Amino acid sequence: MNTTEIFLIAMTIIFTLPWLIWRLGRTDYYAPLVVVQIITGILLGPGILGKVFPDYYQFVFNPAVVQSLNGIAWWAVMLFVMIAGIELDLRKAWAHRRESGITAGLALGTPLLFGCGAAALMLGFDGWMGQQAQTWQFVVGVGMACAVTALPILILLMEKLDILRQPIGQRILRYASLDDIAIWGVLALILMDWERIGRQGAFLLAFAVAAWLFHKLMARLGERDRWYVALIWLAAVAFGADWAGLHFMVGAFLAGASMEAEWFDQEKMDLLRHHVLLVIMPVFFLSTGLRTNWDVGGAAVFIAAALLLVMSVSGKLLGVHLAGRILKWGPGEAGIIGWLLQTKALIMIIFANILLDKQIITSETFTALLLMAVASTMLTVPMVAPKLARLKSLILRSA
């Protein structure tokens, strides 16, 4: 078979297998389709399919096919991160700055400290820290991976729970939006290359000027043209960030964050996010699964994943409970908010992909973080749904 035919076999597998598992297994309550796609990517990776059927794995996922899949995956995740940046609404957070600042700060800072502690323990064993990492980069990188809240997946789960447009849903979006800004800021710090500081400084200066001009241009355009120009802006900013050594996904976030949500119809933006998830993000999940590795031993990877999960979830819940005490929330409120904010999935996986690309973590650490993200996300709905059923009055509380 030629490369095109094998590529199409791979695409058929990518879209068929997770859908069958999701639909026939009726997993939607604890594992939405997006989570099943991530798990399927792991199953199709070298650590599982590659070990059980090595010849078949090498035939389907040969270098030419993987290269083609990676190109689709890069564009998919750039679009997804751009949409996440556009949907940040810092004005609402500013309007409720005391409550939002306290909650977001503790919800991010506590699991960050817990995650840094887990990373420090991992440093006592070989095989976890990447070749290009300094110790502080590894520790802070893993710590921040434990602190991440996956804003796009959080939106999907709150839609499922029917609270997205309710006051409590809007509150949670404020907290997650502030944490999202902090996450990308910390990532930029981790990726700061002091040998290329001049280039990175030049990029940030050029970006500030270009963003000002871009705002002037977008204000003059109709909505139909804005969608197209937004894609040009995405590609250009992502290129500039990658050229400067900050990684193209940092550029994708900057491109989205520099756009105004009011420039676009909200329903169309929601449709774009859903269509990106439906049409091309499954390729990213598969390419992510192809990067998993179990060389330090399957048991060690699972132990590390369990440690990271405990630090991540307990840190997030403790931080939100502390915020609840300071802000005098009602009984049960912090539990619901904490469990929703500990959702990881996509943003954590994107974050870990960047750390792996820059060789700050190894593929074994990446695998442990991926397992942690999947488990974290699968816990969310089963833990939150019963609490919401018992405490319906919280849904309408705005602060």
Side-chain angles (χ1 to χ4, degrees), residues 130-141:
Q131 292 182 351
Q132 300 299 317
Q134 297 181 38
T135 301
W136 75 268
Q137 289 175 308
F138 174 79
V139 171
V140 174

Side-chain angles (χ1 to χ4, degrees), residues 44-87:
L44 293 174
I48 298 178
L49 180 66
K51 286 288 195 313
V52 179
F53 300 108
D55 293 338
Y56 183 76
Y57 177 82
Q58 291 297 330
F59 170 72
V60 176
F61 300 112
N62 62 65
V65 170
V66 170
Q67 185 176 14
S68 300
L69 293 172
N70 282 342
I72 298 172
W74 293 341
W75 186 243
V77 77
M78 285 167 63
L79 283 169
F80 202 82
V81 170
M82 180 195 75
I83 293 168
I86 292 173
E87 290 180 332

Side-chain angles (χ1 to χ4, degrees), residues 112 115-116 119 134-148 186-187 190 348 351-352 355 360-361 365 369:
L112 172 61
C116 287
Q134 297 181 38
T135 301
W136 75 268
Q137 289 175 308
F138 174 79
V139 171
V140 174
V142 172
M144 185 54 77
C146 290
V148 165
V186 170
L187 179 62
I190 293 171
M348 207 285 318
F351 187 90
L355 297 181
I360 292 170
I361 61 174
T365 306
L369 288 171

Side-chain angles (χ1 to χ4, degrees), residues 204-226:
L204 293 173
L205 180 61
F207 170 75
V209 175
W212 180 76
L213 295 172
F214 176 71
H215 268 245
K216 295 287 187 183
L217 173 63
M218 292 292 269
R220 294 172 177 268
L221 297 176
E223 186 184 357
R224 184 175 181 181
D225 288 323
R226 285 173 180 169

Side-chain angles (χ1 to χ4, degrees), residues 122-136:
M122 294 168 70
L123 284 173
F125 303 89
D126 293 330
W128 302 109
M129 189 167 79
Q131 292 182 351
Q132 300 299 317
Q134 297 181 38
T135 301
W136 75 268

Side-chain angles (χ1 to χ4, degrees), residues 81-82 84-86 88 181 207 215 252-260:
V81 170
M82 180 195 75
I86 292 173
L88 290 177
I181 291 287
F207 170 75
H215 268 245
F253 177 76
L254 288 174
S258 60
M259 294 189 226
E260 302 288 342

Side-chain angles (χ1 to χ4, degrees), residues 144-162:
M144 185 54 77
C146 290
V148 165
T149 294
L151 182 59
I153 297 302
L154 177 62
I155 290 172
L156 293 178
L157 294 181
M158 288 200 295
E159 282 180 337
K160 181 183 181 65
L161 293 165
D162 200 26

